[in-house]
Amino acid sequence: MIKMILRRLALGAITVCIVSGIIFAGVEILPGDACTAFLERNAQGVALANCRSELGLDRSATERYLEWAGNALVGDLGISAGSSRSIAEMVGDRLNNSLLLALGALILGVPTAIFLGCLTGLRRDRPIDLVFSTSAIFAMTIPEFVSATIMILIFSIWLGWVPGIVLTPAQAPSIEFFPEVILPMVVLALVMTAHILRLVRSSVIEVMAGDYVQMATLKGVPYWQIVFRHALPNALLPAINVVALTIAWLLGGVVVIEVVFNYPGLGRMMIDAISDRDLPIVQAIALIVATVYVGVNLFADVLSLILNPRLRTMYARKS
């Protein structure tokens, strides 16, 4: 198992290196640069040359990539082209805000999705299954900006229960984002719950139809003992990877939600950086999201291996 974990760590590190090169190359081929964006009409002659020299844009792409990647390894993400501030400091507050939003959505969504997924799987084709399964499919098909707009209309404008937009500055303590952050959390949890619910339901149905469950039933083992001691632990294993993917999506794929609610997270910061042509910030956020994505999935793979005896046996035979 140790060899497998080390192999996965090595593959994860290689993946991050490859992704960092893709990120740098993708930003590099974009037309223009930070200097042309900030100088606008004055982006010519000596002014443009001085700006590019100051930002190091006059060097080769390979040299700039190696320097950027090496600095990123020690936590130095560079300097913002617009504000001349350390990107690590700027990203710190936004990352905390995105983590707050993601953590709240996970606390709301994951337990609810697992409970409803198990319930609908055990009550297959019954009214409760039809209601929640249909609702989940409906929630999965609605774009996030549509569901967010509907939530704002109902709970903020019509009922006035919670604020519909976040006005708290990015540097504020986490506690000050309540109750403004409640509605974005609920919208994210709604989308996440629908995906996990459907997977858990299918997994529960498949496990409950397994031979060992049928054999335990014939031997007179109580139904709820079969469910909680034998069926559900096996049925919930596939949900680990889905939850891991969901965490990565929450940190990097909630740009629409953050824009709709004016939430000062990483997604909103990236949109602003793209608008301002602040490419160092774009590179830094993309690298952070990619690293989190790889790390979370690596953790999910290792956890699945630890919890699943069949996978342990399979890897032991291969070794």
Side-chain angles (χ1 to χ4, degrees), residues 110-125:
V110 172
T112 303
I114 293 177
F115 173 76
L116 293 179
C118 294
L119 182 63
T120 54
L122 296 173
R123 294 292 184 267
R124 181 183 183 184
D125 296 332

Side-chain angles (χ1 to χ4, degrees), residues 52-73:
R52 287 177 171 169
S53 176
E54 182 178 353
L55 297 179
L57 299 177
D58 55 344
R59 295 177 296 166
S60 67
T62 302
E63 184 180 355
R64 286 186 283 115
Y65 168 72
L66 292 176
E67 180 182 3
W68 173 69
N71 291 336
L73 286 176

